């Protein structure tokens, strides 16, 4: 199996990155993580890149040409697929056009509901009965690309933002690898 050279973009803890790395080390998983990009110098997820000796770079998204730096590094490492795993910046149209249908994101709600930030508080405020996560293709509209897979659970009385986050992350660790397999099963 030829594994697709993949970059994972992160901003924080990196638990989805760690999960993808462990899956990518299996011989039958379709991607190999060859680069990690973070917009946060203090992102804890960098420890996983270091642990597994995966090259990583920090991109200062406050600089006007940061996008060109991302593209140069993606080309340098021959990246053909991108996973956004808790990356808290909007991906530009330029990058989306270069990697059309090759950028996926995981979002902590059942899209199209609750796009954007502060998802768990909005879910509780709206008195939702169920929630979950969505893996979708990235397009130029926030959290609006075609859905690849979704997983859900029912919200229990007494759930708060923290318990919703924990339950959602458990589903994310299943949904993200399943979506990657689903994408490459047909390519």
């Amino acid at each position: 199996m030829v594994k697709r050279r993949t970059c994972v973009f992160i901003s924080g803890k990196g638990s989805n990155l760690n999960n993808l790395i462990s899956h990518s080390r299996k011989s039958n998983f379709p991607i190999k993580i060859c680069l990690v990009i973070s917009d946060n110098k203090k992102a804890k997820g960098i420890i996983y890149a270091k642990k597994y000796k995966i090259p990583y770079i920090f991109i200062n998204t406050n600089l006007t040409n940061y996008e060109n730096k991302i593209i140069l590094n993606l080309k340098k490492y021959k990246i053909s697929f991108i996973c956004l795993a808790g990356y808290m910046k909007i991906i530009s149209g330029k990058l989306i056009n270069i990697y059309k249908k090759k950028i996926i994101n995981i979002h902590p709600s059942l899209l199209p509901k609750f796009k954007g930030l502060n998802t768990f508080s909005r879910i509780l405020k709206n008195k939702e009965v169920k929630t979950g996560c969505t893996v979708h293709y990235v397009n130029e509209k926030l959290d609006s690309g075609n859905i690849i897979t979704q997983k859900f659970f029912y919200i229990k009385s007494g759930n708060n933002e923290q318990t919703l986050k924990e339950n959602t992350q458990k589903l994310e660790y299943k949904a993200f690898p399943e979506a990657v397999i689903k994408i490459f099963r047909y390519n």
Side-chain angles (χ1 to χ4, degrees):
M1 166 185 271
V2 176
K3 292 186 174 234
R4 305 321 190 287
R5 295 180 61 83
T6 300
C7 178
V8 180
F9 286 46
I10 65 168
S11 292
K13 222 172 56 177
S15 61
N16 270 304
L17 167 64
N18 187 38
N19 182 48
L20 286 172
I21 290 170
S22 70
H23 280 278
S24 72
R25 297 170 71 81
K26 297 173 187 169
S27 62
N28 62 345
F29 198 69
I31 65 171
K32 177 182 181 186
I33 298 170
C34 300
L35 181 64
V36 174
I37 290 178
S38 177
D39 67 321
N40 175 2
K41 251 186 190 149
K42 296 179 182 171
K44 291 183 178 157
I46 295 298
I47 62 169
Y48 300 116
K50 290 178 181 176
K51 178 180 177 182
Y52 294 103
K53 296 177 176 46
I54 298 169
Y56 63 92
I57 57 169
F58 163 70
I59 299 287
N60 184 345
T61 54
N62 294 322
L63 300 176
T64 51
N65 67 343
Y66 80 89
E67 189 178 73
N68 292 334
K69 188 176 178 188
I70 289 175
I71 292 166
L72 285 172
N73 278 285
L74 293 173
K75 286 181 181 174
K76 176 182 173 185
Y77 287 94
K78 298 177 174 67
I79 299 300
S80 62
F81 190 68
I82 297 169
C83 295
L84 307 181
Y87 186 66
M88 302 308 286
K89 292 286 179 187
I90 305 248
I91 298 294
S92 74
K94 183 176 180 181
L95 189 58
I96 290 167
N97 283 331
I98 294 171
Y99 285 90
K100 222 179 209 59
K101 286 277 197 185
K102 297 199 177 359
I103 304 174
I104 63 172
N105 180 48
I106 190 150
H107 184 75
S109 79
L110 296 172
L111 293 174
K113 288 185 167 187
F114 307 107
K115 297 174 184 181
L117 301 174
N118 305 313
T119 309
F120 303 118
S121 64
R122 292 187 293 144
I123 288 167
L124 290 170
K125 193 181 286 183
N126 208 49
K127 296 181 176 18
E128 292 294 310
V129 175
K130 67 180 181 177
T131 189
C133 64
T134 304
V135 182
H136 64 94
Y137 286 102
V138 174
N139 65 15
E140 292 193 34
K141 289 185 180 169
L142 181 68
D143 296 328
S144 296
N146 289 342
I147 292 170
I148 303 159
T149 193
Q150 290 185 312
K151 294 204 172 290
F152 75 91
F153 64 92
Y154 290 99
I155 299 171
K156 296 177 180 147
S157 66
N159 276 159
N160 58 33
E161 287 183 44
Q162 186 58 38
T163 56
L164 288 186
K165 181 179 180 178
E166 289 166 4
N167 290 334
T168 301
Q169 283 182 326
K170 287 176 191 168
L171 292 182
E172 287 177 351
Y173 302 150
K174 294 176 183 171
F176 221 161
E178 282 179 18
V180 169
I181 289 166
K182 186 176 179 180
I183 289 166
F184 291 111
R185 182 184 301 147
Y186 304 113
N187 286 347

